[in-house]
Amino acid sequence: MFIIKKITSALPLPQFLIKNQNFNMKKLLLAAGVIIFSVTSFSQSLSIIPAPASVTLNQGTFTITPSTKIILEAPAAKKSADFFNKYLKEYYGFTLPVAKEKTAESNAVILNFDKMENSIPGAYNLSVDKNKVYIGGDNEQGIFYGIQTLIQLLPVEKSTSLAIKQCNIIDSPRFAYRGLHLDCGRHFFSVDFVKQYIDFIALHKMNTFHWHLTEDQGWRIEIKKYPLLTQVGSCRNGTATGHNKESDNIKYCGYYTQEQIKEVVKYAADRYITIIPEIEMPGHGLAALAAYPYLGCTKGPYQVGQKWGVFPDVFCAGNDSTYKFIENVLDEVMALFPSKYIHIGGDECPKTRWQTCPVCQARIKSEGLKDEHALQSYFIQRIEKYLNSKGRQIIGWDEILEGGLAPNATVMSWRGEQGGIDAAKQHHKVVMTPGSYVYFDHSQSKKEDSLTIGGDLPLQVVYNYEPIPAALTADEANYVLGAQANVWSEYMANPAKVEYMLFPRLSALSEVLWSGKGNKNWDDFLTRMQAQYKRYDLWKVMYNTKGINKGE
Ligand code: ACM
Ligand code: ZN
């Protein structure tokens, strides 16, 4: 006796119905009742988020104890074994011995490769029988994602005897880019918290961490050639209180050393997560201007920002020394971050200084540019050319469309979906991050009891987000790599607040990015979330359950 759940738009008819050609309507209704009952009982039995492509729940259990061995039939599965052992140690207080050869067929967690058909890396199959757990990954990531599912099969109560249900799971991701961002400019977060944040990404089968490292209110990355960036630019003399009111006049500092960054990049890579660093330009650069005033049009003096918003002082786009500075910074950034993409910002750059700066105006003339918007495009294209010459690609916020898109740029669509639609129609790659669906700085409920930037983004809106805009043809849709949630930290001064804004929306986002459209079901998700809340408790993270129903 087993129960099959494959949540597709049309539930498959069970075998006994297909074989019996003489069934009548009463039997069909009865069978439908069985299916509905099965789905419900399944949901209460296995609560995997994001929903896998296919799950078969069988009878019986297998129990993981400290004597269970992890067997690396694929030696490349070591990172996955290490992650599992770290998780077991942290939350259950024990680890499993790891064997490199097939030393046991039973009482084992076997990690291996199994070729699977999926164009996006990360497919896996997982089976639990009375003797063992078997995970076969299409590639290394696939094994790792199988481990994330295994983690969700574990009971949440701390014990050294972890009974898991026998089952068969076949699974693969929908989108190649499954991202989460963190703004470490407005508020600084410790290396320890950044690592924990990366674990949250991994536990949700996501694969990209967009690390926002420079802002008006703080430069957070050590650049050896320009020590004042951190000596001056990483500190502000105060922080806006309330909703961007007066400064508290308390000095606020923080930056990551290059050694720390290397450590974080490795930590992420061990979890199959790429870090895309963001170095903001030509706007949101006030902290850099405070450190090196020659970078601005007026030459300063400048102060690191204390309030939130958009500042008129930006990098001078006329001066060659600005470009030299940025190239030197990017050289050090590229040495630290192996990612194909470097995020160059590009958003919210006022043109007021450029309009009156003789050097910027001379550049407009000498390059035959139409106006200051074309000057921004010139700026971005010049940086793109430099990064392309080093084998890297740029990604930028959708303002980089204005004045003409750089030839190879990937666009992050944040002011709604239109930027993504325009870029995809021009056959540029796109990551969707529209504010009304995936800006996790908005409140989760209308009854929010803490200070946030405002707005209202309930769990269900995130869950129902469809990253492929309806305006795109099937061919254009291929340019949409995936989506990302952004976590801007103006009103998140500590890790607990970040978590409170992140959870449970991150779980909804993971299902948007991983699960096939036909595998999504809001009511079923809510049922599975009951177990996920217990996992949050196990992880000791903050989460917000207000407003889950209709966002009230
Ligand atoms: C942005 O939210 N300014 C990209
Ligand atoms: Zn200028």
Side-chain angles (χ1 to χ4, degrees):
M1 158 59 189
F2 60 86
I3 300 165
I4 292 181
K5 183 193 184 201
K6 183 167 180 167
I7 320 169
T8 54
S9 44
L11 282 167
L13 284 175
Q15 283 301 310
F16 74 86
L17 266 186
I18 295 167
K19 280 181 192 146
N20 178 1
Q21 301 296 321
N22 300 322
F23 66 85
N24 58 29
M25 187 51 83
K26 198 170 159 193
K27 273 187 185 161
L28 180 62
L29 288 172
L30 244 161
V34 169
I35 293 171
I36 290 161
F37 174 77
S38 304
V39 167
T40 309
S41 63
F42 163 82
S43 292
Q44 285 159 359
S45 306
L46 286 188
S47 294
I48 301 164
I49 293 174
S54 154
V55 175
T56 308
L57 179 60
N58 303 324
Q59 275 205 328
T61 58
F62 167 73
T63 301
I64 293 178
T65 69
S67 69
T68 305
K69 273 189 187 149
I70 300 179
I71 297 180
L72 303 180
E73 284 196 14
K78 169 99 177 29
K79 285 181 198 164
S80 296
D82 288 348
F83 187 92
F84 189 53
N85 262 337
K86 186 166 180 282
Y87 190 91
L88 287 176
K89 180 80 188 159
E90 191 152 349
Y91 299 114
Y92 300 94
F94 70 96
T95 58
L96 305 183
V98 180
K100 294 212 168 61
E101 293 97 35
K102 199 165 188 170
T103 49
E105 277 288 352
S106 63
N107 196 18
V109 175
I110 298 174
L111 305 181
N112 202 352
F113 285 129
D114 274 338
K115 228 43 236 145
M116 293 171 72
E117 291 292 317
N118 198 51
S119 56
I120 304 210
Y124 70 93
N125 67 83
L126 179 154
S127 60
V128 183
D129 64 23
K130 67 181 190 325
N131 295 317
K132 63 183 181 300
V133 177
Y134 175 88
I135 294 174
D138 186 41
N139 56 4
E140 279 184 50
Q141 289 103 303
I143 298 175
F144 187 74
Y145 298 138
I147 288 288
Q148 304 317 313
T149 294
L150 176 58
I151 280 172
Q152 295 195 4
L153 298 177
L154 301 174
V156 288
E157 295 76 26
K158 187 169 176 175
S159 165
T160 51
S161 177
L162 303 172
I164 57 179
K165 294 200 163 71
Q166 293 184 33
C167 59
N168 296 94
I169 295 172
I170 300 170
D171 201 8
S172 56
R174 179 180 175 202
F175 287 106
Y177 187 110
R178 304 182 298 278
L180 185 67
H181 151 287
L182 183 63
D183 169 13
C184 295
R186 272 51 173 260
H187 283 103
F188 175 77
F189 298 100
S190 69
V191 167
D192 279 351
F193 181 66
V194 171
K195 285 181 175 173
Q196 196 186 357
Y197 200 78
I198 287 167
D199 280 339
F200 297 151
I201 296 173
L203 287 160
H204 287 81
K205 300 189 176 86
M206 290 164 64
N207 64 2
T208 308
F209 173 41
H210 172 172
W211 201 359
H212 187 80
L213 284 165
T214 70
E215 254 310 332
D216 294 311
Q217 297 85 2
W219 183 281
R220 307 285 177 221
I221 170 172
E222 178 190 26
I223 300 295
K224 303 229 192 243
K225 197 172 180 71
Y226 299 108
L228 296 183
L229 283 173
T230 42
Q231 284 171 27
V232 173
S234 76
C235 287
R236 58 178 179 254
N237 289 330
T239 302
T241 56
H243 259 140
N244 216 10
K245 297 209 173 68
E246 68 282 356
S247 169
D248 62 10
N249 295 316
I250 299 168
K251 195 165 178 174
Y252 184 95
C253 303
Y255 72 91
Y256 307 101
T257 66
Q258 294 204 351
E259 283 313 304
Q260 287 175 321
I261 286 174
K262 283 181 205 161
E263 186 186 321
V264 172
V265 168
K266 180 177 182 326
Y267 191 88
D270 285 347
R271 287 150 181 76
Y272 302 94
I273 290 168
T274 300
I275 302 185
I276 297 182
E278 181 178 358
I279 307 296
E280 272 267 18
M281 63 190 81
H284 287 293
L286 192 52
L289 269 55
Y292 295 99
Y294 77 84
L295 296 168
C297 291
T298 66
K299 312 302 173 200
Y302 306 105
Q303 278 205 359
V304 180
Q306 298 183 41
K307 290 199 168 188
W308 318 126
V310 172
F311 293 82
D313 285 303
V314 301
F315 286 103
C316 176
N319 204 330
D320 278 329
S321 61
T322 302
Y323 296 98
K324 194 66 212 159
F325 166 86
I326 289 174
E327 286 172 11
N328 288 336
V329 166
L330 291 175
D331 282 348
E332 294 193 32
V333 168
M334 284 185 279
L336 293 168
F337 293 94
S339 60
K340 174 172 105 177
Y341 286 115
I342 305 291
H343 202 303
I344 48 76
D347 60 318
E348 298 180 318
C349 179
K351 310 296 186 291
T352 39
R353 295 289 184 258
W354 294 356
Q355 281 161 358
T356 54
C357 169
V359 189
C360 285
Q361 290 303 315
R363 179 72 63 176
I364 287 175
K365 219 170 189 176
S366 68
E367 296 293 332
L369 304 171
K370 188 165 136 265
D371 56 15
E372 289 74 20
H373 294 286
L375 181 59
Q376 159 136 347
S377 178
Y378 165 84
F379 190 114
I380 301 292
Q381 294 201 32
R382 190 162 160 173
I383 299 302
E384 173 177 84
K385 207 178 275 177
Y386 184 72
L387 286 171
N388 286 172
S389 77
K390 307 284 176 187
R392 306 298 180 101
Q393 297 290 327
I394 66 163
I395 187 165
W397 301 111
D398 57 46
E399 285 93 329
I400 66 172
L401 280 150
E402 292 165 12
L405 202 45
N408 304 311
T410 295
V411 171
M412 212 165 241
S413 186
W414 74 278
R415 296 175 300 174
E417 294 180 289
Q418 196 56 47
I421 293 167
D422 293 345
K425 284 187 181 297
Q426 293 176 42
H427 293 184
H428 281 254
K429 290 185 183 140
V430 169
V431 173
M432 298 301 292
T433 69
S436 46
Y437 293 101
V438 286
Y439 262 47
F440 288 0
D441 50 347
H442 295 313
S443 302
Q444 302 216 43
S445 128
K446 291 191 173 67
K447 288 188 189 145
E448 178 58 58
D449 53 8
S450 70
L451 189 71
T452 75
I453 203 160
D456 180 28
L457 177 57
L459 183 67
Q460 191 168 7
V461 175
V462 178
Y463 189 80
N464 287 334
Y465 176 53
E466 168 48 44
I468 305 283
L472 297 182
T473 65
D475 178 50
E476 289 159 356
N478 290 327
Y479 291 92
V480 179
L481 302 176
Q484 168 179 293
N486 295 332
V487 180
W488 299 105
S489 65
E490 287 94 332
Y491 299 92
M492 302 182 206
N494 54 61
K497 183 64 188 287
V498 172
E499 291 168 5
Y500 185 72
M501 301 303 284
L502 196 58
F503 298 114
R505 291 185 289 201
L506 181 61
S507 296
L509 178 71
S510 75
E511 198 144 314
V512 168
L513 293 170
W514 179 278
S515 307
K517 255 170 50 170
N519 279 355
K520 281 178 66 196
N521 178 301
W522 168 246
D523 290 332
D524 188 69
F525 173 74
L526 282 186
T527 305
R528 283 177 284 123
M529 279 306 297
Q530 298 312 308
Q532 187 74 350
Y533 293 130
K534 291 185 186 149
R535 285 180 208 120
Y536 294 164
D537 290 335
L538 187 69
W539 304 341
K540 296 191 169 55
V541 297
M542 296 287 289
Y543 56 96
N544 185 345
T545 52
K546 288 197 199 83
I548 283 172
N549 293 311
K550 304 191 183 73
E552 69 275 4

